[in-house]
Amino acid sequence: MDRSKSTTIASLGLLALVLLAWQYLPPALDVPKYIIPTLTDCLVEMKRMWLYEKLMSNTLSTALYTVLGFAIGSLLGAILGYLLGMSVFWEKVLSPYILALQIAPKVAFAPLFIMWFGYNAMPKMLVTVLIVFFPVLVNVLQAMRTVDRDLVNLARAYNLSRLGIFWKVEMPSTLPNLMAGLRIASTLAVIGITVGELIGGNTGLGYLISYGGGQANAAMVFNAIILLTVIGFLLYTVLQHIEERVLHYLPKAQH
């Protein structure tokens, strides 16, 4: 049996153990359903949410704004990271302000965005953009700082323009860091969208978590958290496949 098959079997076996424990341990330990619902309770609640709580539309809303916030935040972070990486002067000028904004807790901006834009999709998307922006910016900027200077000097010796040096030398050199930043940002995007929906949303899975918590409906909260996890996992998996295609030339570690 090859390594990939044994890994899959082990993962599925662990999942089965977790599901069995989830189903039978809470009743065995006399844990009330409003604290930890069983797997069966969650499945029954999932059906009810589908029929009466617009589960599909709420899930699609969260998924859509997660992807939008991730895409916008990543694009802005990459662009600014490359621009600052090409200009030492502007990097030094803007670094204190970028650091200050990075240190500020992003979720604290959510109430401010609600006051500015109202109870709609804009606040939660802006929180997601802010949270996604910095991991991508920092990774790209760090990669630009460590580009091989000998390669840059060689490109200059061949009379490549500044844009040519960027496309031929700097961009390929920074791709691994960029993709790592995107993978980190993909997990944070789900956090951003959830915070926005919890604080001021009237749609989405974060709203269902808030509503379920107010109704002491733990099964609804569990279901919404699981669906949020699935959205984040799918986004991360897509980025992993893109990274494998883009960085196919890099040697892989042998274990």
Side-chain angles (χ1 to χ4, degrees):
M1 184 181 298
D2 60 34
R3 186 180 297 272
S4 62
K5 286 185 178 179
S6 60
T7 302
T8 302
I9 291 173
S11 296
L12 292 175
L14 180 60
L15 176 62
L17 287 175
V18 170
L19 293 178
L20 287 171
W22 184 8
Q23 176 65 29
Y24 295 108
L25 272 183
L29 299 174
D30 292 325
V31 178
K33 291 184 178 182
Y34 63 84
I35 301 295
I36 301 180
T38 64
L39 175 61
T40 304
D41 295 330
C42 289
L43 291 175
V44 170
E45 177 62 18
M46 187 78 78
K47 181 180 179 181
R48 190 196 70 80
M49 292 168 69
W50 179 275
L51 294 174
Y52 302 109
E53 302 293 348
K54 300 179 180 178
L55 181 61
M56 175 61 77
S57 63
N58 282 307
T59 303
L60 290 177
S61 173
T62 296
L64 172 63
Y65 287 107
T66 298
V67 173
L68 278 177
F70 168 77
I72 295 170
S74 299
L75 182 62
L76 293 175
I79 290 174
L80 188 57
Y82 283 123
L83 290 176
L84 293 180
M86 289 189 286
S87 174
V88 177
F89 172 78
W90 283 110
E91 180 190 347
K92 290 181 178 179
V93 169
L94 296 177
S95 284
Y97 305 101
I98 293 173
L99 179 62
L101 193 56
Q102 184 178 3
I103 292 171
K106 314 307 177 298
V107 296
F109 285 92
L112 191 60
F113 291 151
I114 290 170
M115 286 190 288
W116 288 349
F117 300 102
Y119 288 89
N120 51 47
M122 186 62 72
K124 63 183 179 182
M125 196 170 74
L126 288 176
V127 173
T128 307
V129 168
L130 266 182
I131 289 179
V132 166
F133 174 80
F134 288 101
V136 178
L137 169 65
V138 170
N139 274 43
V140 169
L141 188 54
Q142 182 60 33
M144 287 291 284
R145 289 171 179 163
T146 57
V147 171
D148 191 339
R149 292 295 103 188
D150 291 335
L151 287 177
V152 174
N153 292 332
L154 181 62
R156 286 173 179 159
Y158 279 96
N159 294 321
L160 278 182
S161 65
R162 187 65 190 85
L163 192 59
I165 293 172
F166 172 74
W167 286 114
K168 297 292 185 181
V169 178
E170 291 172 334
M171 184 68 176
S173 299
T174 58
L175 274 179
N177 283 60
L178 172 61
M179 295 307 302
L182 291 175
R183 282 191 283 110
I184 295 170
S186 69
T187 61
L188 297 176
V190 178
I191 297 174
I193 208 73
T194 304
V195 167
E197 291 175 346
L198 279 170
I199 294 175
N202 52 14
T203 58
L205 295 173
Y207 165 74
L208 291 182
I209 290 175
S210 178
Y211 179 74
Q215 300 294 318
N217 188 342
M220 178 184 284
V221 176
F222 268 65
N223 287 338
I225 291 172
I226 290 169
L227 290 172
L228 283 166
T229 304
V230 170
I231 291 171
F233 180 80
L234 290 175
L235 182 56
Y236 186 91
T237 302
V238 169
L239 287 169
Q240 263 192 324
H241 286 300
I242 294 173
E243 182 177 4
E244 289 174 2
R245 294 288 185 89
V246 173
L247 304 179
H248 61 86
Y249 57 89
L250 292 179
K252 293 180 173 58
Q254 300 295 324
H255 299 287

